[in-house]
Amino acid sequence: MKKMVLLCCLLSLISCKKELEKPKNFIEKDKMTDVLYDMALLNGMESMGAFYADTTASIITASSILKKYKIDSLTFVENNRYYIELEDESYFQIQEAIKKRLEVKKEQLNKELEAEQEKLKLKEEDEKAKTVKLSTTPNSLSKLVLEKQMQE
């Protein structure tokens, strides 16, 4: 019987969960998605070593992203924690939206890269064709020499 009472007390303590309160400076889900998207881009650039100049690395920081959205770091942390702790899978949905946006951006950049590579390839082929054409076309002096030889 004591075990049963103890078990009931334990279960009641475990089941008593503090209600999750919205942060004082609440960030809407769409805005939070945008902030986390920019943070994901920043983290990706940092991990790939995309910053070659010290000036670029000092301009693009997490603080600059937060300034862009007019959010202080404490507000961001509180809201990030809030979305993580929500039981409606909001954070998972935010992460999925970010993943889709990153995939779309990757496809867009790949298309632009392919177009640029194609332009360079065509330009190189055009330059080769001009070089071949110039080397096979006699200049005016050569023409005169050929004409004189024909006349003699």
Side-chain angles (χ1 to χ4, degrees):
M1 185 70 170
K2 286 183 180 180
K3 290 181 182 180
M4 190 64 113
V5 171
L6 185 62
L7 183 62
C8 288
C9 289
L10 186 62
L11 286 176
S12 66
L13 285 175
I14 292 173
S15 65
C16 292
K17 188 176 180 183
K18 185 179 174 184
E19 188 175 318
L20 189 62
E21 293 181 28
K22 280 186 178 181
K24 189 170 103 175
N25 297 323
F26 182 68
I27 302 171
E28 294 297 326
K29 190 174 180 180
D30 290 340
K31 187 175 182 179
M32 189 67 174
T33 303
D34 292 340
V35 172
L36 289 171
Y37 172 77
D38 285 353
M39 292 287 191
L41 286 176
L42 176 64
N43 289 334
M45 288 187 287
E46 287 174 345
S47 69
M48 295 300 293
F51 296 126
Y52 292 111
D54 291 336
T55 56
T56 307
S58 66
I59 293 171
I60 304 172
T61 62
S63 296
S64 65
I65 292 171
L66 294 177
K67 279 183 185 178
K68 173 183 172 182
Y69 293 99
K70 297 177 178 129
I71 301 170
D72 61 80
S73 59
L74 180 61
T75 301
F76 173 73
V77 169
E78 288 173 348
N79 279 272
N80 197 41
R81 181 177 296 136
Y82 171 77
Y83 281 109
I84 290 171
E85 290 176 359
L86 279 178
E87 295 179 3
D88 66 353
E89 297 186 6
S90 290
Y91 202 75
F92 177 75
Q93 293 166 357
I94 289 171
Q95 294 299 321
E96 284 297 311
I98 292 169
K99 182 179 172 185
K100 286 178 186 174
R101 283 175 66 180
L102 289 170
E103 288 170 354
V104 167
K105 189 68 169 176
K106 179 182 174 184
E107 287 177 29
Q108 176 190 1
L109 291 173
N110 281 337
K111 286 179 184 178
E112 289 177 17
L113 180 62
E114 288 173 10
E116 284 297 316
Q117 288 174 338
E118 187 63 30
K119 281 182 187 177
L120 285 173
K121 184 179 175 184
L122 290 173
K123 186 176 179 180
E124 286 175 3
E125 289 174 358
D126 194 34
E127 290 295 321
K128 277 185 182 178
K130 284 180 183 177
T131 304
V132 170
K133 188 175 183 182
L134 286 175
S135 66
T136 57
T137 306
N139 61 27
S140 57
L141 183 58
S142 298
K143 272 187 176 179
L144 288 173
V145 171
L146 284 173
E147 287 175 6
K148 281 193 175 192
Q149 284 178 352
M150 294 273 216
Q151 289 174 355
E152 293 178 0

